Coordinates of all heavy atoms in Angstrom, one line a residue:
F292 N -1.6 10.8 19.9 CA -2.0 12.2 19.6 C -2.1 12.9 20.9 O -1.9 12.3 22.0 CB -3.4 12.2 19.0 CG -4.5 11.4 19.7 CD1 -5.4 12.1 20.5 CD2 -4.6 10.0 19.6 CE1 -6.4 11.4 21.2 CE2 -5.6 9.3 20.3 CZ -6.5 10.0 21.1
A293 N -2.2 14.2 20.8 CA -2.3 15.1 22.0 C -3.5 14.8 22.9 O -4.6 14.8 22.3 CB -2.2 16.5 21.6
A294 N -3.3 14.5 24.1 CA -4.5 14.2 25.0 C -5.4 15.4 25.2 O -4.9 16.5 25.4 CB -4.0 13.7 26.4
P295 N -6.7 15.2 25.0 CA -7.6 16.3 25.1 C -7.8 16.6 26.6 O -7.4 15.9 27.5 CB -8.9 15.8 24.5 CG -8.8 14.3 24.7 CD -7.4 14.0 24.5
P296 N -8.5 17.8 27.0 CA -8.7 18.1 28.4 C -9.6 17.0 29.0 O -10.3 16.2 28.3 CB -9.4 19.4 28.3 CG -9.1 20.0 26.9 CD -8.9 18.8 26.1
P297 N -9.7 16.9 30.3 CA -10.6 16.0 31.0 C -12.0 16.1 30.5 O -12.5 17.2 30.3 CB -10.4 16.4 32.5 CG -9.1 16.9 32.6 CD -8.9 17.7 31.3
G298 N -12.6 15.0 30.3 CA -14.0 15.0 29.8 C -14.3 13.7 29.1 O -13.5 12.7 29.2
T299 N -15.4 13.6 28.4 CA -15.9 12.4 27.8 C -16.0 12.6 26.3 O -16.6 13.7 25.8 CB -17.3 11.9 28.3 OG1 -17.1 11.6 29.7 CG2 -17.7 10.6 27.6
Y300 N -15.4 11.7 25.5 CA -15.3 11.9 24.0 C -15.8 10.7 23.3 O -15.6 9.6 23.7 CB -13.9 12.2 23.6 CG -13.3 13.5 24.3 CD1 -12.7 13.3 25.6 CD2 -13.4 14.7 23.8 CE1 -12.2 14.4 26.2 CE2 -12.9 15.8 24.4 CZ -12.3 15.7 25.7 OH -11.8 16.8 26.3
F301 N -16.5 10.9 22.2 CA -17.1 9.8 21.4 C -16.0 9.3 20.4 O -15.2 10.0 19.9 CB -18.3 10.4 20.6 CG -18.9 9.4 19.7 CD1 -19.7 8.4 20.1 CD2 -18.6 9.5 18.3 CE1 -20.3 7.5 19.2 CE2 -19.2 8.6 17.4 CZ -20.0 7.6 17.9
F302 N -16.0 8.0 20.2 CA -15.2 7.4 19.1 C -16.0 6.3 18.4 O -16.9 5.7 18.9 CB -13.9 6.9 19.6 CG -13.9 5.7 20.6 CD1 -14.0 4.4 20.1 CD2 -13.9 5.9 22.0 CE1 -14.0 3.3 21.0 CE2 -13.9 4.8 22.8 CZ -14.0 3.5 22.3
H303 N -15.6 6.1 17.1 CA -16.2 5.1 16.3 C -15.2 4.6 15.3 O -14.1 5.1 15.2 CB -17.5 5.5 15.7 CG -17.4 6.5 14.5 ND1 -18.4 7.2 14.0 CD2 -16.3 6.7 13.7 CE1 -18.0 7.9 13.0 NE2 -16.7 7.7 12.8
C304 N -15.6 3.5 14.6 CA -14.8 3.0 13.4 C -15.4 3.7 12.2 O -16.7 3.6 12.0 CB -14.9 1.5 13.3 SG -14.3 0.8 11.8
D305 N -14.6 4.3 11.3 CA -15.1 5.0 10.1 C -15.8 4.0 9.2 O -16.6 4.4 8.4 CB -14.0 5.7 9.4 CG -13.6 7.0 10.2 OD1 -14.5 7.6 10.8 OD2 -12.4 7.3 10.1
F306 N -15.4 2.7 9.2 CA -15.9 1.7 8.3 C -17.2 1.1 8.8 O -17.9 0.5 8.0 CB -14.8 0.7 8.0 CG -13.6 1.2 7.4 CD1 -12.5 1.6 8.2 CD2 -13.4 1.3 6.1 CE1 -11.4 2.2 7.7 CE2 -12.3 1.8 5.5 CZ -11.2 2.3 6.3
H307 N -17.4 1.1 10.1 CA -18.6 0.5 10.7 C -19.1 1.5 11.8 O -19.1 1.2 13.0 CB -18.3 -0.8 11.3 CG -17.6 -1.8 10.4 ND1 -16.2 -1.8 10.3 CD2 -18.1 -2.6 9.5 CE1 -15.9 -2.7 9.4 NE2 -17.0 -3.2 8.9
P308 N -19.5 2.7 11.4 CA -19.8 3.8 12.3 C -21.1 3.5 13.2 O -21.3 4.2 14.2 CB -20.1 5.0 11.4 CG -20.5 4.5 10.1 CD -19.7 3.2 10.0
Q309 N -21.9 2.6 12.8 CA -23.1 2.3 13.6 C -22.9 1.2 14.6 O -23.3 1.2 15.8 CB -24.3 1.9 12.7 CG -24.7 2.9 11.6 CD -25.1 4.2 12.2 OE1 -25.7 4.3 13.3 NE2 -24.6 5.3 11.6
Q310 N -22.1 0.1 14.1 CA -21.9 -1.0 15.0 C -20.8 -0.8 16.0 O -20.8 -1.3 17.1 CB -21.5 -2.3 14.2 CG -22.5 -2.7 13.2 CD -22.1 -2.3 11.8 OE1 -21.8 -1.1 11.5 NE2 -22.0 -3.3 10.9
M311 N -19.7 0.0 15.6 CA -18.5 0.1 16.4 C -18.4 1.5 17.0 O -17.9 2.4 16.3 CB -17.3 -0.3 15.6 CG -17.4 -1.7 15.1 SD -15.9 -2.1 14.0 CE -14.6 -2.1 15.3
T312 N -18.8 1.7 18.2 CA -18.8 3.0 18.9 C -18.3 2.9 20.3 O -18.3 1.8 20.9 CB -20.2 3.7 18.9 OG1 -21.1 2.9 19.6 CG2 -20.7 3.9 17.5
G313 N -17.9 4.0 20.9 CA -17.5 3.9 22.3 C -17.3 5.3 22.9 O -17.4 6.3 22.2
K314 N -16.8 5.3 24.2 CA -16.6 6.6 24.8 C -15.1 6.6 25.4 O -14.7 5.6 26.0 CB -17.6 6.8 26.0 CG -19.0 7.1 25.5 CD -19.9 7.5 26.7 CE -20.0 6.3 27.6 NZ -21.0 6.7 28.7
L315 N -14.4 7.7 25.2 CA -13.1 7.9 25.8 C -13.3 8.9 26.9 O -13.7 10.0 26.7 CB -12.1 8.4 24.7 CG -10.7 8.8 25.3 CD1 -10.0 7.5 25.6 CD2 -10.0 9.6 24.2

Side-chain angles (χ1 to χ4, degrees):
F292 55 100
T299 301
Y300 302 89
F301 175 79
F302 66 84
H303 75 197
C304 168
D305 286 326
F306 299 89
H307 309 90
Q309 304 301 321
Q310 305 105 303
M311 301 179 67
T312 62
K314 290 187 296 183
L315 175 68

